[in-house]
Amino acid sequence: MKNGFPSTPVLLLAAALALPAAAVAAANDCGMNAFQVDTSPQHEKRLHDALNLTPQQEGAWQKYVQSLHQQPAGQSGKRADWATLSAPERAQASLDATKRQEEYMTQMVGGMKTFYGTLNPAQQKTFDRFHGGQQSDQR
């Protein structure tokens, strides 16, 4: 008899499939997925401290942090009132925002690659852990 509720085997299967995703989320200390970067001052300070940067690496660090905080070009901070826009205007505004986000991500990834290239292998492992790697960063 069907009562509208999933059977026990279905619920167990769903729970088993959800566990790996939960483990990945728990391992990623900053709560970000692999395509996001935590730009909070606390995260940056923890990462900076954990990397034990040399004086020669400090300039690259500053450029990297600056690349994280650059506002996408053309973003005024003022949103259009979506209720006043026609459907094509809303679609265009959404497309424009996506393009700005892509430009920002391109700059951010470039800055990250440049900085990452200045790190030694041990520092790279630490950086990887802070950005969705297998272990969470140490608080």
Side-chain angles (χ1 to χ4, degrees):
M1 169 169 86
K2 297 233 177 210
N3 60 6
F5 293 103
S7 65
T8 302
V10 171
L11 288 175
L12 290 174
L13 177 61
L17 293 174
L19 284 176
V24 169
N28 188 352
D29 180 65
C30 58
M32 303 299 211
N33 69 35
F35 303 105
Q36 294 174 313
V37 175
D38 185 349
T39 61
S40 69
Q42 299 87 357
H43 177 79
E44 289 172 7
K45 181 175 178 0
R46 286 193 319 268
L47 175 59
H48 182 270
D49 292 347
L51 288 173
N52 295 318
L53 298 174
T54 66
Q56 296 80 12
Q57 293 171 318
E58 285 294 334
W61 167 260
Q62 293 302 323
K63 287 180 184 177
Y64 167 63
V65 170
Q66 185 178 30
S67 76
L68 295 177
H69 296 283
Q70 290 182 352
Q71 188 173 358
Q75 185 174 356
S76 65
K78 180 181 175 186
R79 290 185 171 198
D81 183 6
W82 286 82
T84 64
L85 299 177
S86 68
E89 289 170 332
R90 285 192 301 269
Q92 185 63 52
S94 181
L95 177 61
D96 293 343
T98 299
K99 288 178 181 179
R100 286 191 304 272
Q101 181 64 22
E102 182 180 8
E103 290 171 11
Y104 165 75
M105 288 294 296
T106 299
Q107 291 174 356
M108 188 273 300
V109 170
M112 181 184 286
K113 286 180 177 180
T114 299
F115 174 64
Y116 193 86
T118 68
L119 301 176
N120 65 42
Q123 290 171 319
Q124 289 177 349
K125 287 181 183 181
T126 299
F127 190 91
D128 291 343
R129 283 196 315 266
F130 269 74
H131 292 94
Q134 294 300 315
Q135 301 173 11
S136 64
D137 60 344
Q138 303 298 315
R139 291 186 178 227

